[in-house]
Amino acid sequence: MNSLELPKIKEDLEKLIGKENVSNTFYKVSEYCINHVAKNIFAMSKTEPFIVARPQKLDQLVKIVKYAFEMSIPLFIRSGGTGYSGGEVPTSSGIVIELTGLNRIINVDDKGRYVTCEAGITVKELNEYLQKNYNLTWFHDPGSRDWATVGGSVSTLGVGAFSTKYGYAHNTAVAMKIVTADGEIIEIGNKIRNDYASYNFIDLFASSEGTLGIIAEVTLKVFPVPKTRRIILGVFKDFHDAVKSCYDIVDSGLYPESLMIEDTLRFLLEGIAPHINLDDPILAPYEFDKSQAVLIVTFAGKEDIVNICQEKTKEMLKLNGAKIIENEIIINAYWKSKTELPSWSKTMENVKIHSFVPAIPLSRAVEFNEAYDRLVKDLNLNKAGARYYVILPWMECTVSPSILLNDNDINDIRAYEEFTKRFSEVVMRMGGTPASTTGVGMRLIDILEKLLPPSQMMLAKKIKLTLDPKRILSPNKKLKL
């Protein structure tokens, strides 16, 4: 569409949903993104003129979509705007639907442990309400929790500290209310996750990043706030021993709440530095400069059971050569960084962080870590370290191999884009996926077009064109058409 049509579109939208809900500018860019997310890579900072519509009610959302469908106006779906993939970036003139106005909690079934909420409520807002009023929580805890919304988390298969036990964000979604490309409301799911009375629409829409329909409401499985949590930090000289310990823990019959491997650089930079000077003598006994990895394991529940799990885990880690961190100052500093502060909360001037987020079999983690080091050196990039979220029971891990870069430097930009391309090829050879979470958006669209089987891409495009025949939902995202 021609950007000259935008004044007329703005006028029409004001009549449909009220002047106060329409603007040229009023979505905000989160502090999370401003502080550390690189946006100049993969042309993610290049936008076309657009109008922002912020519906406050479901019927307003429906009106916007029906109007856009009738007029064939592109729609770009935006929630908290914390993504790394540019999924919310308007790549053509059109309407940005900003969903944070849809932020109500609709119903809590505290006996059955379900909550139904609108998609625009933030993860933090939802959990604060559940914890205060029902002693329940949704175990999705991304570093962007203050800004990331429920809808955005579900629609990008979000990962967090508790994904080991509870899965990705969409794994606890049991029902949804979807607004289709032509403005119809469809309800999918019930309170049973493994429901195959029809097709598995929950996972289809959860993985679509807003390209097949707009998630307006979600029903989530929630759980009691644990009475006790124990955190085990084991420092390993050899990365391989940290990986072996993950297998040993699970093979023993233990089922941790969190199981994460971090290389020592990531552990120190993101986990410890916001609270403890890295020259502090309390860190010296653990010889981080001579170590490759830290294994983070948590158990939560009844105190006597959790204490047994903690002791058994420590025994296994020690047998594999780990130094167990017993200093409560260090343990509490790390856990506060992981569950209370934004990712990369320590500001680094003129430096941004970026990571594509692949997933691999845990058995290939050592090889992955070696490839990370090699590619960083080959392309003259700066490592920020990697975190491996181990997901049970599949023994796979979602990984964030992060890079420090100046995203105003064309050489850094080109090097990082090449890093993502080459690493994606490596991941595919390992039997993994270059896009486990945070979405494909516009960042990986060209790469995946070349790497994925043509038959798979053809099927995905058929589904897209069936559900969005006018191609108005997030065009040029996820798929090339």
Side-chain angles (χ1 to χ4, degrees), residues 114 138-140 150 153-160 162-176 190-196 200 202-204 206-207 218-223 255 391-394 396 398 436-437:
Y114 298 95
W138 182 39
F139 276 109
H140 177 57
V150 168
S153 298
V154 168
S155 66
T156 56
L157 315 186
V159 72
F162 305 112
S163 293
T164 296
K165 183 175 181 179
Y166 298 99
Y168 300 95
H170 73 292
N171 292 135
T172 49
V174 296
M176 295 178 184
N190 45 50
K191 289 187 176 179
I192 303 299
R193 188 59 173 87
N194 200 45
D195 174 15
Y196 289 99
N200 187 348
I202 296 286
D203 286 351
L204 176 65
S207 61
V218 188
T219 298
L220 301 164
K221 185 70 176 177
V222 292
F223 298 86
Y255 206 98
I391 312 297
L392 301 182
W394 303 284
E396 65 185 45
T398 285
S436 170
T437 183

Side-chain angles (χ1 to χ4, degrees), residues 20-285:
E20 69 280 6
N21 296 319
V22 183
S23 170
N24 295 72
T25 58
F26 74 6
Y27 76 65
K28 62 180 182 180
V29 177
S30 69
E31 181 185 340
Y32 176 84
C33 283
I34 292 170
N35 283 349
H36 75 267
V37 177
K39 286 295 184 183
N40 288 335
I41 56 174
F42 297 104
M44 290 194 301
S45 63
K46 295 179 181 178
T47 63
E48 296 295 329
F50 56 88
I51 297 294
V52 182
R54 182 184 291 164
Q56 305 292 323
K57 298 177 182 178
L58 179 57
D59 67 327
Q60 291 180 335
L61 174 59
V62 168
K63 287 177 182 178
I64 297 166
V65 176
K66 284 186 173 180
Y67 168 76
F69 183 78
E70 181 182 345
M71 305 296 291
S72 298
I73 300 170
L75 293 173
F76 297 92
I77 318 306
R78 182 185 175 90
S79 295
T82 61
Y84 283 66
S85 302
E88 80 286 0
V89 176
T91 50
S92 63
S93 286
I95 300 169
V96 172
I97 300 182
E98 215 267 32
L99 290 174
T100 58
L102 298 176
N103 58 9
R104 294 182 306 137
I105 294 171
I106 296 166
N107 180 61
V108 178
D109 173 3
D110 57 330
K111 186 176 181 180
R113 300 175 181 172
Y114 298 95
V115 60
T116 301
C117 60
E118 292 181 323
I121 191 170
T122 68
V123 173
K124 183 178 181 180
E125 288 168 343
L126 175 63
N127 274 330
E128 284 181 344
Y129 178 85
L130 289 172
Q131 290 165 13
K132 178 180 178 182
N133 294 284
Y134 297 96
N135 198 40
L136 295 171
T137 193
W138 182 39
F139 276 109
H140 177 57
D141 188 51
S144 54
R145 66 190 69 79
D146 288 24
W147 304 277
T149 64
V150 168
S153 298
V154 168
S155 66
T156 56
L157 315 186
V159 72
F162 305 112
S163 293
T164 296
K165 183 175 181 179
Y166 298 99
Y168 300 95
H170 73 292
N171 292 135
T172 49
V174 296
M176 295 178 184
K177 195 170 281 188
I178 305 288
V179 178
T180 62
D182 59 356
E184 296 300 315
I185 298 173
I186 58 171
E187 297 184 27
I188 56 177
N190 45 50
K191 289 187 176 179
I192 303 299
R193 188 59 173 87
N194 200 45
D195 174 15
Y196 289 99
S198 184
Y199 296 108
N200 187 348
F201 292 121
I202 296 286
D203 286 351
L204 176 65
F205 283 100
S207 61
S208 73
E209 303 174 45
T211 62
L212 302 180
I214 303 170
I215 300 173
E217 293 179 12
V218 188
T219 298
L220 301 164
K221 185 70 176 177
V222 292
F223 298 86
V225 176
K227 293 181 179 178
T228 304
R229 175 173 286 119
R230 295 288 181 256
I231 302 157
I232 305 115
L233 303 177
V235 184
F236 291 86
K237 282 191 163 49
D238 193 307
F239 194 90
H240 172 271
D241 293 329
V243 175
K244 180 180 182 298
S245 295
C246 293
Y247 282 100
D248 289 348
I249 291 167
V250 175
D251 291 349
S252 75
L254 294 172
Y255 206 98
E257 170 195 53
S258 299
L259 185 60
M260 299 177 285
I261 303 171
E262 296 183 3
D263 62 28
T264 49
L265 178 62
R266 180 68 168 262
F267 178 79
L268 292 170
L269 279 184
E270 187 180 357
I272 301 303
H275 307 285
I276 301 172
N277 189 304
L278 296 184
D279 294 325
D280 195 306
I282 66 171
L283 299 175

Side-chain angles (χ1 to χ4, degrees), residues 428 433-434 447-457:
M428 291 289 286
T433 174
I447 293 171
L448 294 180
E449 187 78 21
K450 295 175 183 176
L451 291 180
L452 293 182
S455 57
Q456 181 178 332
M457 297 303 295

Side-chain angles (χ1 to χ4, degrees), residues 419-439:
F419 169 83
T420 303
K421 176 180 173 292
R422 289 194 205 174
F423 218 159
S424 294
E425 293 168 354
V426 169
V427 166
M428 291 289 286
R429 290 196 294 271
M430 291 180 180
T433 174
S436 170
T437 183
T438 73

